[in-house]
């Protein structure tokens, strides 16, 4: 094509950072999701479940769970074609740690709420949080 210089490559565009929360109830799979999709080794703040959680943590349907997130998970996904880097922040699912959600929410563009179809009723508090 006349007048078109094919040797000049377009300037590389710097990826825009986007913060996304991964939220949901206790034992729904937030840590597993962040770990599965992150392009980096994810930060995990998991601790062993102890006898202190008996009567507090409802393990009905997730009896084999031995670890729980006590602060947050963190991972990253680069979507080069879209010019976006997604920073994933997984929230803790236990009710006693929900106070952290407000701080984690700061600066977030959106959230992905995970719900366990075997325990649908445990997904409503997370949905209610983001609706409000």
């Amino acid at each position: 094509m006349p007048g078109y210089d094919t040797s000049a490559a377009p300037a590389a565009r710097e990826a825009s950072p986007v913060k996304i929360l991964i939220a949901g109830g206790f034992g729904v799979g937030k840590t597993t999701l962040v770990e599965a999709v992150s392009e980096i080794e994810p930060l995990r703040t998991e601790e062993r479940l102890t006898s202190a959680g008996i009567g507090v943590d409802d393990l009905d349907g997730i009896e084999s769970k031995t670890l729980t997130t006590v602060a947050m998970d963190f991972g990253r996904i680069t979507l080069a074609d879209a010019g976006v880097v997604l920073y994933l922040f997984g929230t803790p699912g236990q009710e006693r740690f929900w106070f952290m959600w407000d701080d984690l929410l700061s600066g977030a563009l959106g959230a992905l709420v995970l719900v366990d179809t075997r325990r649908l009723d445990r997904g409503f508090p997370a949905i209610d949080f983001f609706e409000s």
Side-chain angles (χ1 to χ4, degrees):
M1 195 183 257
Y4 182 72
D5 183 4
T6 58
S7 66
R13 190 169 55 146
E14 190 170 322
S16 298
V18 176
K19 180 178 180 181
I20 303 289
L21 260 58
I22 309 299
F26 176 56
V28 77
K30 298 172 297 292
T31 299
T32 302
L33 173 77
V34 171
E35 186 173 42
V37 302
S38 180
E39 66 193 22
I40 62 171
E41 182 71 28
L43 168 71
R44 296 172 19 169
T45 61
E46 290 189 307
E47 293 295 332
R48 289 204 163 284
L49 290 170
T50 66
S51 58
I54 295 173
V56 177
D57 300 327
D58 184 2
L59 293 173
D60 196 28
I62 53 171
E63 291 83 6
S64 63
K65 185 171 180 60
T66 60
L67 299 172
T68 188
T69 300
V70 295
M72 68 175 196
D73 299 310
F74 175 78
R76 183 184 73 209
I77 303 172
T78 300
L79 305 174
D81 290 346
V84 172
V85 177
L86 298 178
Y87 292 99
L88 308 174
F89 287 79
T91 64
Q94 293 163 288
E95 188 172 344
R96 66 180 175 265
F97 296 124
W98 285 356
F99 69 92
M100 298 177 69
W101 288 28
D102 288 320
D103 289 335
L104 290 171
L105 183 62
S106 179
L109 181 63
L112 174 65
V113 177
L114 301 182
V115 177
D116 184 341
T117 57
R118 298 167 299 174
R119 303 175 296 137
L120 285 175
D121 59 319
R122 297 184 191 158
F124 295 128
I127 294 167
D128 292 344
F129 174 82
F130 290 106
E131 282 185 336
S132 67

